[in-house]
Amino acid sequence: MNSIPEKPTLDGIEARWAERWEADGVYRFDRGADRDQVFSVDTPPPTVSGSIHMGTIFGYTQFDSVARYQRMAGKQVFFPIGWDDNGLATERRTQNYFGVRCDPTKQYEPDFEPPFRGDVPAKHHEVPVSRPNFVALCEELTAIDEAVFEEIFRRLGMSFDWTLLYTTIDAGSRRTSQLAFLRNLARGEAYSADAPTVWDVDDRTAVAQAEIEDRERPGAYHLLAFHGTGDNAGDVMIDTTRPELIVSCVALVAHPDDERYQPLFGSTVRTPLFGVEVPVVAHPLAQPDKGTGIAMVCTFGDTTDVTWWRELDLPTRSVIGRDGRIVATPPEWLETPEALAAYEAIAGKTVKQAQAATVEALTASGEMHGDPRPLMHPVKFYERGSRPLEIVTSRQWYLRNGGRDEDRRNAFLARGKELDWYPDHMRHRYDHWVEGLNGDWLVSRQRFFGVPIPLWYPLDDDGEPRYDSPIVPADDTLPIDPSTDVPPGYTADQRGRPGGFAGDPDVMDTWATSSLTPQIAGQWVDSVLSGGSLFGNVFPMDLRPQGPEIIRTWLFSTVVRAHYEHGSLPWTSTAINGWILDPDRKKMSKSKGNVVTPMGLFEQYGTDAVRYWALAARPGVDTAFSEDQMKVGRRLATKLLNASKFVLSTPDPSGGDVEIDPVDAAMLARLGQTVAEATTAFEGFDYARALEHTESFFWWFCDDYVELVKQRAYAGEAGAAESARHALRTALGTVQRMFAPALPFVTDEVWSWWHDASVHAEAWPAAPAVTSELSLDAASEVLARVRRAKTEAKRSQRAGVARLVVTGPAGWIAQLEPCRRDLVDALTIADFELSAGAEDAAVGIAVELVPDEA
RNA sequence: GGGCGCAUAGCUCAGCUGGUUAGAGCACUGCCCUUACAAGGCAUAGGUCGGGGGUUCGAGUCCCUCUGCGCCCA
């Protein structure tokens, strides 16, 4: 038997136990386990962005408790963790932290030192650095942040197998991501196309539908006169919020049923300022009640323009460059000197500047009627961006996701139905997203810190890339970087030369890699290239826990990749956690400035207390951040210390069979019920209900049962004392194990007082094989009533009871008879009378306290 | 505009397939320094289950509708 501290404390237990778990490999996955013994969890690797949000703590704690249960229930738990570090978020932090900016035209400098490490002055101009230098700085910064994240997750008590740690930029992830992409390409699921693409002008990269959000922004309708031609000599008035795009106008469009414009369909008009002749066409997407009911189609003002352009087969007249400015050279479709002069006024300007110049010119020419009419309207932004998105034409890589293909869409909807969702209603978010897709998944990004698209292109005699016949690397050479690696059959000096080759300059979208976390963590590549067996033992995984905000991105894209590569779901179940709301019930977010950091809370309340707060929330339910709940959790943890100390301080029961006392049997039967309820709850991933049942039993056990039997356990007659001592220890050991998934630190602390191995390596408790007809509810009632009497008499709970008369229905009184001796001891009763009446008799409890001597 | 979710005690929430006087914790109030526990324990009090209508012997629970809030998508 190990020793029990004189004064048990929660202080410092996190560091002690976290270290012990790692040293003993308590959470290490056993690769020899068969698939049916494995419970595998696809943990979404968090973005290492400098600080951890309480929402992450919240969700991760919930599924850690599920994983801990599964481990105790006998499963080999495959519980990897990774860091999602590639992508634009890291690039931005690197720029801000070091004061640099990536310029791929620069040469690599082996001894480069960044101008700053943190604390970059506001006026500093970013120093351009080569791509390899920039990537090295990204890696330096993520290493710092990842160390902080690891410390927090260890402190949180996450039962990850840290030997499985990966990052989404490491060699294994790059290899996985590139191999999966090449196989998508080979099967025709990936393709490249030169097409209109939603473009962020600040980050100078294409962005995907999933990264776009609408924001309400002020704008204005401008009423413009287009001029009829031929027989229709009159002006046609249109309302537009983007007059600067008149030069890109390729048509006017109205609804086919709109009688006002019937006569115009098939005719042409000339644009204001530029005099370009464009057709008037009909399309059902035109909204008769919006503005004048007829709109100008530009290439491209918004995604509806793209639809019109595609479906009506209109020409392309783009003028917005990738920097968000009107291109300097006048386009060839402008013919007249007036048109060229008008273009001169906007050339080289930003969209905003060009709009002002255009309005000025229109006012001067009299082609704008009245003043602009302000309105609020939704404008598309990159979710991390600060300027509206533009649409430019560029060559990009896509993965087919059903956005343009009914059969694939139906296949992905079917996958969504096949998946078990916890809670079930979260499946609607998936369905709506898939049903609303309007294009394939754009996976290429014109960025630097990401997994390179693993392709080269042959250059023709003019030095132009032949995009239709990319050069593919051999699988066993992955990962590659086509900007430095040379394709088979070529030499390095042929790079960029006519007849030579060029590497694809782009990297993949971060989701193109993080959609492969089951394959990365499960070492799928090894199973493909060298027959490794791990993947088959963990995939498809059992559970994907995650937040609701990444259903449309992460969850969906992971389903897409597994569907293509494995013809299956990536996991059988997904559990979606809720939001964290601040006490005012507003969503916590950095921009609102109401974010709390976890480390301070761990120190103030103890990790188990913070975990208690997270685990008290029902699965999937939005939950208020509540330090009050943490206080309750701390009290529970403290109670577990004290109760454990007390139970273990009763005399050790001797071996051998004892005859079980009816009171003890009743408690153990109730305990058995609790075990059954907690087990059922956990099997359905309902950690909250499991905790609630355990907690409520535990408080009853402390308040009533322990009080009833403490005298007997200490000093009762031999057999009865033995029974109580056995029962106390049985209940304590069961409760400690049932609390272990929720409160890993305090439970291992108290478990260690009487065991050598970690409680987390123990089996989930079975219900004691004890049945009982006896209910202790009547005894609890008597305890409460006598306590109340003492309280009302302003007496100590130690005060003796001179005489206690309990009357009630015979059946109810019968429940008290077996408790008589324990009640007498617990309440210090001199004279105890039980009086059975008729079955409809009222319960009466008359308490006569011994006189107060004071 | 469409979808999903929520509305129960002052606060945060349970209440599973409709069934005895609606539960817990926190806060409040009161009592107690009881040899496990005073950064604690015990106990009291507190609710027309958002409004309206319907189904049913019976509705917090099922249906309709309205109101308010949150999230997602247009």
Side-chain angles (χ1 to χ4, degrees), chain A residues 75-289:
Chain A
K75 291 292 177 70
Q76 268 302 318
V77 175
F78 184 73
F79 197 18
I81 179 66
W83 311 125
D84 189 17
D85 48 11
N86 86 55
L88 191 50
T90 295
E91 289 190 21
R92 288 204 180 162
R93 283 186 304 109
T94 298
Q95 287 170 212
N96 296 335
Y97 186 82
F98 295 108
V100 300
R101 137 180 95 73
C102 184
D103 181 347
T105 64
K106 301 288 268 188
Q107 286 297 307
Y108 176 63
E109 292 179 46
D111 301 319
F112 178 77
E113 267 300 308
F116 302 98
R117 281 192 161 76
D119 298 323
V120 177
K123 285 183 179 173
H124 171 70
H125 279 279
E126 292 169 341
V127 175
V129 300
S130 74
R131 178 169 168 169
N133 286 117
F134 186 73
V135 167
L137 292 175
C138 286
E139 285 169 345
E140 179 181 329
L141 183 60
T142 54
I144 295 169
D145 290 333
E146 284 159 13
V148 172
F149 268 53
E150 177 170 340
E151 187 191 354
I152 289 175
F153 281 145
R154 284 183 184 275
R155 179 70 185 264
L156 179 59
M158 294 301 298
S159 60
F160 295 132
D161 180 348
W162 287 96
T163 64
L164 300 171
L165 181 68
Y166 63 90
T167 77
T168 56
I169 198 64
D170 69 24
S173 293
R174 296 201 307 276
R175 185 158 55 234
T176 306
S177 188
Q178 292 186 337
L179 181 63
F181 175 82
L182 292 174
R183 290 164 70 103
N184 288 136
L185 178 62
R187 288 190 296 259
E189 295 143 5
Y191 66 92
S192 74
D194 199 17
T197 310
V198 180
W199 187 267
D200 186 86
V201 298
D202 287 318
D203 289 314
R204 303 212 185 169
T205 180
V207 300
Q209 184 183 352
E211 300 169 295
I212 299 170
E213 63 186 26
D214 282 353
R215 296 183 197 163
E216 285 290 326
R217 284 291 179 274
Y221 267 140
H222 303 72
L223 188 59
L224 307 185
F226 280 62
H227 313 300
T229 61
D231 295 340
N232 295 308
D235 282 353
V236 179
M237 304 306 297
I238 66 110
D239 268 314
T240 180
T241 57
R242 301 205 62 181
E244 69 278 15
L245 290 179
I246 293 172
V247 66
S248 289
C249 181
V250 292
L252 295 189
V253 62
H255 196 277
D257 299 336
D258 194 329
E259 297 194 355
R260 293 170 294 176
Y261 300 109
Q262 295 281 351
L264 289 177
F265 294 142
S267 71
T268 61
V269 292
R270 288 192 178 277
T271 60
L273 296 180
F274 300 98
V276 174
E277 188 172 353
V278 297
V280 181
V281 294
H283 192 278
L285 275 181
Q287 296 176 33
D289 55 343

